[in-house]
Amino acid sequence: MSIADDFLPVAGPSITDREVAYAADAARNAWYQNHNAFNARFEALFAETVGAKHAVSLPHCTAAIHLALAARGIGPGDEVIVPDVTWIASVAPVSYVGATPVFVDSLKETWCIDPDAVVAAITDKTRAIIAVDLYGSMADWQRLRAIADAHDLFLLEDSAEALGSTYAGQQAGSLGDIGVFSFHGSKTVATGEGGMLVTSDDALHARVMTLRDHGRPPGDRFFLNTEVAFKYKMSAVQAALGLGQMERFDELIAQKRQIFAWYRDRLANLQGVALNTEPAGTSNSYWMVTIVPDADYGLDKFAIMEGLKARGIDSRPFFTPLSTLPAYAERPESARFLPSDPVGHEIARVGVNLPSGYHMDEAKVNRVAAALEEILRR
Ligand SMILES: *Cc1c(COP(=O)(O)O)cnc(C)c1O
């Protein structure tokens, strides 16, 4: 099975014989006393790579966010400050626990949550901030940490798109009280579906371990559930894939950075088209190479996507502001801190994610760039 040469997908993983062999090994052997062996190895390598004390493998990142909020006891009546422009999975779990998402604006350069907007949105009901390292860019963690500490807020780092990015020498996912990752097939490390929660806080970790297993404290052999909770586990075959992927971590991150470098060099002549940034003190693992063209091109993201599709190239729209989606239409109170003309809305109106999967080589990048030059001809 191979990808048709004439249509270029937007995302996809790099799977080698290593991952295939581990998955087969798990299918055969990860039973009986070995049922957790691949999960344990995957978690240990992941925690070490990210620089966190604990890592918990989960069925998806959405579960990780849900568990993080539940572990911190966030619930009805509480407000959680979130970026308006992100994937809905960053925010949907706020509703799962019965709390209220409060949408705030993003910064123009990094596309991540604006710390000033966070401060302006704090009320006496605020309990947590969810900051997202969007498309591989790092949020302003120094300021977010100071704000969270000053107001005694839980700081959740959604690093689903930023595995391998760094901030002041620290890996993405290690900057929040809890960090969360996704291994969906489109992500930097893929297990098909899958997620990871990392933390260096022993108490939060213990709480997560109980909540993810139907209220069974770790080590419980008698099935005496202490509370009604959730069932969130990753299968051994997925963990085997993830272990193989993490053993190739440096290679995978280098490849993502190479794909971005090809685009950056090839698109350098297009005036007024911003790409993912890499501010001083950070490094970007460029999950999705993303263009944000100036408004005076007169094209929105859907028009650009149509132009690419007509040339056999798949792409994705920049995340649409959550406060404008039907999903949140009946929660107008949550948009009360957004300015009338949010920075994030303009970025989200024109931004497009370009093909960035591991199938990309220099020739394919050239093909996408040539198509963009035609589409964006003024
Ligand atoms: C992919 C993604 C998620 C959700 O991951 P799942 O594994 O699909 O649950 C959460 N947040 C962001 C920012 C993502 O990109």
Side-chain angles (χ1 to χ4, degrees):
M1 201 173 52
S2 67
I3 297 160
D5 271 353
D6 50 350
F7 191 76
L8 208 47
V10 69
S14 164
I15 301 295
T16 63
D17 289 348
R18 174 190 297 265
E19 288 88 340
V20 173
Y22 283 5
D25 186 1
R28 244 185 259 284
N29 300 312
W31 308 103
Y32 303 102
Q33 67 273 28
N34 288 326
H35 71 94
N36 195 47
F38 277 103
N39 295 72
R41 287 171 68 190
F42 180 32
E43 290 168 349
L45 180 55
F46 199 92
E48 186 194 323
T49 305
V50 167
K53 197 165 166 191
H54 308 283
V56 184
S57 55
L58 297 166
H60 37 70
C61 180
T62 307
I65 298 170
H66 185 189
L67 282 172
L69 296 172
R72 187 55 194 252
I74 291 164
D78 296 336
E79 292 181 351
V80 179
I81 297 174
V82 299
D84 187 25
V85 180
T86 180
W87 175 229
I88 193 169
S90 307
V91 177
V94 175
S95 300
Y96 302 173
V97 298
T100 302
V102 173
F103 298 112
V104 303
D105 206 0
S106 307
L107 294 170
K108 190 168 191 299
E109 281 74 32
T110 62
W111 312 328
C112 296
I113 199 165
D114 179 347
D116 289 329
V118 170
V119 171
I122 293 173
T123 71
D124 55 8
K125 293 179 176 168
T126 308
R127 295 281 315 280
I129 303 165
I130 300 177
V132 184
D133 299 320
L134 208 70
Y135 299 125
S137 277
M138 295 303 287
D140 184 346
W141 287 103
Q142 193 182 338
R143 284 211 53 209
L144 291 169
R145 173 52 68 196
I147 294 164
D149 287 351
H151 296 270
D152 192 24
L153 303 175
F154 175 53
L155 188 53
L156 175 53
E157 180 176 10
D158 181 349
S159 27
E161 304 180 356
L163 178 60
S165 293
T166 65
Y167 179 96
Q170 278 183 266
Q171 290 284 329
S174 68
L175 295 135
D177 298 319
I178 283 180
V180 296
F181 295 89
S182 171
F183 310 121
H184 178 262
S186 67
K187 296 285 165 51
T188 300
V189 155
T191 64
E193 298 285 353
M196 193 75 83
L197 180 154
V198 300
T199 186
S200 293
D201 182 316
D202 293 337
L204 276 174
H205 174 247
R207 191 75 194 115
V208 163
M209 293 303 280
T210 300
L211 286 174
R212 61 106 81 160
D213 193 15
H214 281 311
R216 293 176 62 202
D220 163 48
R221 289 175 51 241
F222 303 113
F223 299 91
L224 299 173
N225 311 69
T226 55
E227 64 194 290
V228 176
F230 316 106
K231 175 63 195 295
Y232 284 148
K233 292 194 176 182
M234 172 184 269
S235 75
V237 176
Q238 289 170 294
L241 282 170
L243 176 66
Q245 291 266 281
M246 286 306 289
E247 288 178 353
R248 298 175 53 223
F249 177 78
D250 291 343
E251 175 203 335
L252 291 174
I253 302 306
Q255 208 173 327
K256 292 302 264 188
R257 290 182 59 82
Q258 175 64 74
I259 293 165
F260 179 82
W262 284 325
Y263 273 114
R264 184 196 53 214
D265 295 350
R266 189 61 181 69
L267 295 175
N269 294 330
L270 272 182
Q271 298 300 307
V273 176
L275 296 171
N276 317 54
T277 54
E278 190 173 57
T282 70
S283 84
N284 195 323
S285 60
Y286 300 114
W287 172 53
M288 281 266 176
V289 180
T290 301
I291 53 164
V292 178
D294 282 352
D296 57 11
Y297 276 105
L299 294 170
D300 70 10
K301 59 187 173 185
F302 301 115
I304 297 169
M305 288 177 68
E306 280 306 310
L308 288 169
K309 188 170 169 232
R311 292 165 178 81
I313 298 165
D314 198 14
S315 59
R316 283 189 186 180
F318 207 104
F319 297 123
T320 295
L322 295 171
S323 64
T324 70
L325 291 174
Y328 287 101
E330 278 162 30
R331 299 167 171 269
E333 79 285 0
S334 60
R336 68 191 187 277
F337 292 108
L338 280 174
S340 58
D341 191 13
V343 169
H345 285 208
E346 178 53 21
I347 297 166
R349 194 178 68 78
V350 294
V352 175
N353 310 128
L354 303 178
S356 309
Y358 292 100
H359 61 306
M360 294 303 287
D361 57 22
E362 197 167 5
K364 288 174 179 152
V365 168
N366 285 338
R367 189 179 141 200
V368 177
L372 281 173
E373 280 166 356
E374 283 178 26
I375 296 162
L376 294 175
R377 189 167 290 146
R378 301 203 207 213

